[in-house]
């Protein structure tokens, strides 16, 4: 929970892959790093589980493009 509601990073597990499908952050919390925190946690989880990552969500795809340290997950 964050100010204004629930922030969510939705994903599906498909054959050893974490498919990041959608990210939602309440408008009151936008621009405060909440989405980036969700992305970091999701990618840390994928790494710990040995999953590859596919970002269908535009926010997550942009995050991955800006953070090459996660390139090994693709």
């Amino acid at each position: 929970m964050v100010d204004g509601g629930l922030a969510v990073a939705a994903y599906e597990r498909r054959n050893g892959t974490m498919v990041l499908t959608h990210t939602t952050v309440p408008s009151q919390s936008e621009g405060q790093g909440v989405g980036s925190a969700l992305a970091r946690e999701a990618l840390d989880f994928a790494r710990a589980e040995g999953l590859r990552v596919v970002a269908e969500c535009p926010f997550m795809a942009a995050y991955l493009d800006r953070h090459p340290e996660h390139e090994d997950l693709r």
Side-chain angles (χ1 to χ4, degrees):
M1 293 287 283
V2 294
D3 288 341
L6 183 66
V8 176
Y11 71 93
E12 298 173 12
R13 283 180 84 150
R14 300 181 196 157
N15 302 318
T17 302
M18 172 188 251
V19 181
L20 299 163
T21 58
H22 188 72
T23 304
T24 303
V25 174
S27 58
Q28 299 91 324
S29 297
E30 288 179 0
Q32 298 178 23
V34 175
S36 293
L38 287 172
R40 282 190 304 273
E41 290 296 323
L43 296 170
D44 287 348
F45 175 80
R47 184 171 278 115
E49 294 289 312
L51 301 171
R52 306 302 284 167
V53 172
V54 173
E56 291 179 352
C57 167
F59 175 84
M60 291 293 191
Y63 182 90
L64 282 166
D65 288 344
R66 289 190 314 270
H67 295 272
E69 66 270 24
H70 300 294
E71 186 63 34
D72 64 303
L73 296 173
R74 290 182 167 192

